[in-house]
Amino acid sequence: MTQTKYIRDLLHKTNMAEAHSISSPMVSNYKLSRHGVDVFHDSTLYRSIVGALQYATLTRPEISFAVNKVCQFMVAHLDSHWTVVKRILRYLKGTLFHGLLLQPTSVTMPLVIQAFYDANWASDVDDRCSTSRAAIFLGPNLISWWSQKQKVTTRSSTEAEYRSIAQTPTELTWIHTLLTELQVSFTTPIIFCDNQSAVSIAHNPVFHNRTKHMEIDVLFVREKILAKQLTIVHVPTIDQWDDILTKPLSASRFEVLQGRLNVKSVYPENSSP
């Protein structure tokens, strides 16, 4: 699935068709803030292009985090925000023929459902809200993903993780229901998490003063585990594929995780369209 023509038209609209390409949509460890005096002069252009980039994420999940960040400044935007928008466009210029690869899978074996979820705790420099992300795979194919800012400020990384994990079973329940109605066999969904504390609480919901405010989310997830509708396991951070959806990464790490999300070029390496 590609949007090559759509992206090419977007590049022409912004006079970026001849721009130099770049290897990642955001600089590693770069932080955006709403505070500044370098106000961007053209609000209509900013909102138009950022809105168009949102549509591009339908086949380009690897830009979801960067697009989500610039979307947070639709009301008041600075030159620094527009610089990031242009960097996203330069990245798309260099990956014009990339898209989401969908592969056939065996119909004789139950489909494997896997979900990677995580949260980047207190990542927003203005209000210290965390960023939630998730990537859900059906067999070898990525079918659902998101990268979004949490609405409340969390008091620990474990709480941020758990607020993120509570969203994932909701999506998995919908997929579970749909596949059941279609009479498609599938395995028990597995959620991978790199926070050992969040995994422990999911399997042993013992509450204390620091987790009482999380009880609803914890009990919701625990209910799904007891019903054998999902399993939560710990995974090392290096194997957390959805890191690309929650923070800016180095070019090398970004390229690796881009492939994990099945974002591939429609043309073989070293060939031209």
Side-chain angles (χ1 to χ4, degrees):
M1 294 172 59
T2 64
Q3 292 173 286
T4 300
K5 182 181 183 303
Y6 177 80
I7 294 172
R8 184 187 284 117
D9 291 344
L10 186 57
L11 291 169
H12 282 289
K13 180 179 179 180
T14 54
N15 298 318
M16 298 284 289
E18 303 301 324
H20 294 293
S21 60
I22 205 161
S23 57
S24 63
M26 281 191 75
V27 177
S28 177
N29 297 320
Y30 187 68
K31 302 289 186 180
L32 287 178
S33 173
R34 62 173 175 263
H35 301 297
V37 295
D38 55 329
V39 179
F40 184 61
H41 66 282
D42 193 338
S43 295
T44 301
L45 176 64
Y46 184 93
R47 292 166 183 159
S48 172
I49 300 306
V50 171
L53 286 172
Q54 285 185 292
Y55 184 72
T57 62
L58 292 176
T59 59
R60 302 299 299 272
E62 83 278 21
I63 67 171
S64 294
F65 170 73
V67 173
N68 173 262
K69 289 303 293 184
V70 294
C71 280
Q72 294 173 23
F73 307 102
M74 285 292 209
V75 176
H77 23 266
L78 308 175
D79 284 337
S80 56
H81 305 148
W82 179 245
T83 298
V84 175
V85 173
K86 290 194 294 184
R87 184 182 174 95
I88 297 171
L89 292 169
R90 290 174 62 194
Y91 166 74
L92 292 175
K93 167 69 165 49
T95 55
L96 192 60
F97 298 98
H98 279 56
L100 189 61
L101 177 65
L102 298 178
Q103 307 171 65
T105 186
S106 173
V107 296
T108 60
M109 300 290 291
L111 289 173
V112 177
I113 303 176
Q114 300 180 95
F116 293 83
Y117 93 93
D118 204 356
N120 193 6
W121 180 48
S123 57
D124 192 289
V125 297
D126 294 321
D127 56 19
R128 288 304 174 187
C129 286
S130 305
T131 300
S132 295
R133 86 273 183 132
I136 300 176
F137 290 81
L138 181 60
N141 300 309
L142 179 66
I143 60 169
S144 181
W145 62 90
W146 60 84
S147 176
Q148 61 188 41
K149 180 179 174 180
Q150 294 185 1
K151 296 181 179 180
V152 297
T153 304
T154 53
R155 290 181 284 178
S156 68
S157 59
T158 299
E159 181 183 352
E161 296 271 355
Y162 227 94
R163 289 191 182 279
S164 179
I165 199 177
Q167 294 176 277
T168 310
T170 303
E171 183 79 1
L172 289 174
T173 298
W174 182 85
I175 295 171
H176 180 286
T177 303
L178 177 62
L179 293 178
T180 301
E181 290 179 355
L182 295 174
Q183 298 184 347
V184 175
S185 60
F186 55 91
T187 61
T188 300
I190 301 175
I191 296 179
F192 294 99
C193 171
D194 63 359
N195 186 298
Q196 188 66 62
S197 296
V199 174
S200 298
I201 292 174
H203 290 282
N204 184 28
V206 176
F207 301 107
H208 48 74
N209 290 336
R210 293 186 179 181
T211 59
K212 282 185 177 180
H213 57 288
M214 296 161 46
E215 283 192 39
I216 294 177
D217 287 342
V218 172
L219 293 175
F220 172 70
V221 174
R222 181 61 177 165
E223 180 182 278
K224 298 296 182 183
I225 293 175
L226 291 176
K228 300 188 183 302
Q229 293 180 1
L230 63 85
T231 301
I232 300 177
V233 299
H234 180 260
V235 64
T237 300
I238 192 66
D239 296 323
Q240 186 59 277
W241 293 359
D242 64 348
D243 259 0
I244 198 172
L245 299 177
T246 195
K247 56 191 172 187
L249 303 170
S250 65
S252 58
R253 179 65 173 163
F254 182 88
E255 184 177 358
V256 169
L257 295 184
Q258 177 193 60
R260 299 288 190 181
L261 293 185
N262 289 336
V263 177
K264 311 281 187 179
S265 174
V266 297
Y267 294 99
E269 188 177 356
N270 300 324
S271 68
S272 56

